[in-house]
């Protein structure tokens, strides 16, 4: 029987949309694939690909140690039941608690640090606990992939992971055949689009405040939000807050979608004022279709945006700095906007092709599987 590889994350949606082509390649190579994640609309899509999908609830925003210990016990039970030959963990809780579970059963592990999470960014007692959990859990994995050098260097400086086990990937990559360069919109007014889960950590509040400032000077400028409300996260925005912004006429809320391409094609500039990222998929996909970018000068974002080349950078948690970048873009000649879009596409082709990411996993996996 072919070898079994388990992929574990905090949502099936995450695995289908961010790791779908990796899953397809592993299936093509003859591996059996076990998916362990909370059930959502993407669970059936993963099953249709040929994966065996097991539902495992996770309290993604919770800080209850008893609940987290239960998650670890459940993962250990599933690993014992299904006997995977290798486990790939994505997102914070699987990376930590899945590693503990796999270690107890001596199952090889590849972890991917897709972002540090709200708790790690808080600077509170909770951050110190999370640091301790990382330090002990990351001793077991054979390889720990990071999505930007800042996160890797932070883990190394705090001795949370061994240098020889760690490596950087260019995010989760972009499917360049799906995200093709698209004609720049000729329509006016200028549309600024922010694609993200509606979390405070994504800089949504700063985006709205900057929009208010810009609308005083350029009243017809459009500001759009695209992404799920009600995310299971401590920094999630309330529905009422977003509804109030829409009622005020400052932003347009586009809802959520499984295909962002039509929205990217209609936008003039894609904005992400996030507080910190792994490597933001929204910016990569926007650059791939040839859209200029505005993002905060923080880990993850600064790896995608070359200031003045394919976009502009602004200060984190600073609506006035974001507004200044938006005004600079609005005052920019069309030729420069087009140049930025072309430069973004070229950068993604060179540095962030999904094939580079898939290749890194495929190179690592055979060394860890039992002979």
């Amino acid at each position: 029987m072919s070898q079994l590889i388990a992929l574990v994350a905090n949502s099936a949606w995450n695995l289908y949309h961010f790791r779908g082509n990796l899953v397809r390649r592993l299936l093509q190579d003859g591996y059996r694939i076990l998916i362990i994640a909370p059930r959502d609309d993407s669970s059936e899509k993963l099953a249709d690909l040929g994966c065996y999908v097991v539902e495992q609830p996770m309290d993604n925003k919770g800080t209850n140690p008893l609940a987290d210990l239960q998650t670890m016990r459940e993962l250990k039970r599933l690993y014992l039941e299904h006997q995977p030959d290798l486990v790939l963990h994505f997102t914070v809780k699987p990376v930590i608690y899945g590693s503990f579970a796999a270690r107890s059963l001596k199952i090889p592990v590849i972890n991917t640090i897709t972002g540090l999470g709200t708790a790690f960014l808080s600077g509170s007692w909770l951050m110190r606990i999370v640091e301790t959990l990382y330090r002990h859990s990351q001793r077991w994995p054979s390889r720990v992939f990071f999505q930007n050098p800042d996160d890797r260097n932070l883990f190394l400086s705090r001795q949370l992971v061994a240098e020889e086990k760690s490596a950087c990937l260019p995010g989760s990559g972009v499917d360049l055949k799906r995200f093709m360069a698209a004609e720049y919109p000729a329509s006016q007014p200028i549309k600024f689009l922010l694609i993200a889960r509606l979390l405070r950590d994504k800089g949504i509040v700063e985006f709205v405040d900057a929009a208010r400032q810009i609308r005083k000077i350029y009243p017809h400028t459009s500001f759009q939000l695209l992404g799920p409300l009600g995310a299971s996260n401590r920094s999630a925005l309330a529905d009422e807050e977003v509804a109030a912004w829409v009622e005020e006429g400052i932003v347009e809320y586009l809802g959520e979608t499984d295909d962002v391409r039509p929205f990217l094609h209609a936008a003039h500039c894609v904005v992400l004022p996030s507080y910190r990222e792994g490597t933001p998929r929204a910016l990569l996909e926007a650059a791939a279709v040839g859209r200029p970018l505005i993002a905060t000068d923080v880990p993850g974002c600064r790896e995608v945006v070359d200031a003045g080349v394919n976009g502009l950078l602004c200060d984190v948690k600073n609506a006035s700095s974001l507004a200044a970048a938006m005004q600079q873009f609005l005052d920019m000649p069309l030729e420069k906007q087009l140049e930025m879009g072309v430069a973004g596409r070229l950068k993604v082709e060179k540095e962030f092709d999904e094939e580079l990411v898939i290749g890194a996993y495929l190179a690592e996996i055979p060394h860890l599987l039992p002979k």
Side-chain angles (χ1 to χ4, degrees), residues 312-332:
L312 302 169
L313 291 171
C314 63
D315 297 334
V316 67
K317 300 182 183 180
N318 189 328
S320 295
S321 178
L322 175 57
M326 289 175 170
Q327 184 167 345
Q328 184 180 344
F329 180 82
L330 287 162
D331 293 339
M332 196 179 287

Side-chain angles (χ1 to χ4, degrees), residues 28-307:
Q28 288 170 10
D29 287 354
Y31 298 110
R32 292 177 296 130
I33 301 300
L34 169 68
I35 300 293
I36 300 176
R39 178 166 293 278
D40 57 39
D41 292 344
S42 294
S43 299
E44 291 303 319
K45 296 175 182 177
L46 287 162
D48 290 343
L49 291 180
C51 304
Y52 181 61
V53 180
V54 174
E55 178 181 5
Q56 175 54 50
M58 293 183 198
D59 184 5
N60 296 323
K61 67 179 178 180
T63 57
N64 183 338
L66 294 179
D68 291 339
L69 285 173
Q70 181 60 26
T71 297
M72 184 177 69
R73 284 193 289 266
E74 285 297 307
L75 289 175
K76 182 177 178 179
R77 180 185 64 80
L78 290 171
Y79 296 167
L80 193 59
E81 176 183 349
H82 295 281
Q83 295 289 309
D85 296 293
L86 173 67
V87 183
L88 276 58
H89 295 123
F90 304 90
T91 65
V92 176
K93 292 204 174 182
V95 161
I96 291 174
Y97 297 106
S99 295
F100 284 131
R103 181 179 184 176
S104 66
L105 300 172
K106 295 183 169 53
I107 301 170
V109 164
I110 297 175
N111 280 344
T112 304
I113 309 290
T114 54
L116 300 187
T118 303
F120 202 92
L121 302 177
S122 66
S124 66
W125 60 269
L126 186 57
M127 184 189 78
R128 292 189 289 275
I129 291 175
V130 173
E131 270 198 26
T132 301
L133 289 169
Y134 271 127
R135 183 174 291 111
H136 290 285
S137 64
Q138 301 316 291
R139 293 174 181 173
W140 173 249
S142 303
R143 176 64 74 189
V144 179
F145 284 127
F146 292 86
Q147 295 201 330
N148 67 65
D150 293 275
D151 286 354
R152 180 173 181 252
N153 291 336
L154 179 62
F155 268 58
L156 291 175
S157 68
R158 297 185 184 180
Q159 299 181 317
L160 307 184
V161 68
E163 184 171 5
E164 64 273 13
K165 290 186 174 187
S166 66
C168 267
L169 294 176
S172 52
V174 182
D175 184 347
L176 295 175
K177 295 175 183 175
R178 187 164 185 264
F179 288 87
M180 303 286 290
E183 185 177 355
Y184 196 66
S187 61
Q188 294 290 328
I190 292 289
K191 287 182 182 177
F192 290 104
L193 172 65
L194 194 164
I195 304 174
R197 292 177 297 157
L198 297 197
L199 310 176
R200 294 186 190 279
D201 291 352
K202 298 296 182 181
I204 308 293
V205 174
E206 288 82 359
F207 179 75
V208 174
D209 288 345
R212 288 194 183 98
Q213 295 177 42
I214 291 294
R215 291 286 287 274
K216 292 175 182 176
I217 311 167
Y218 303 94
H220 300 297
T221 307
S222 175
F223 297 89
Q224 299 178 326
L225 292 172
L226 175 65
L229 265 169
S232 179
N233 189 288
R234 285 179 297 281
S235 74
L237 292 160
D239 294 16
E240 299 77 18
E241 199 166 0
V242 177
W245 294 333
V246 173
E247 181 69 22
E248 185 184 347
I250 292 298
V251 296
E252 178 185 2
Y253 177 51
L254 303 175
E256 56 182 303
T257 181
D258 279 341
D259 187 359
V260 301
R261 289 173 297 176
F263 302 96
L264 289 173
H265 295 172
H268 295 84
C269 180
V270 172
V271 182
L272 186 63
S274 180
Y275 297 174
R276 191 183 183 107
E277 292 285 325
T279 299
R281 188 68 171 258
L283 293 183
L284 293 179
E285 291 172 349
V289 303
R291 294 299 172 264
L293 311 172
I294 296 177
T296 37
D297 188 6
V298 298
C301 293
R302 68 168 69 106
E303 277 70 41
V304 182
V305 181
D306 294 330

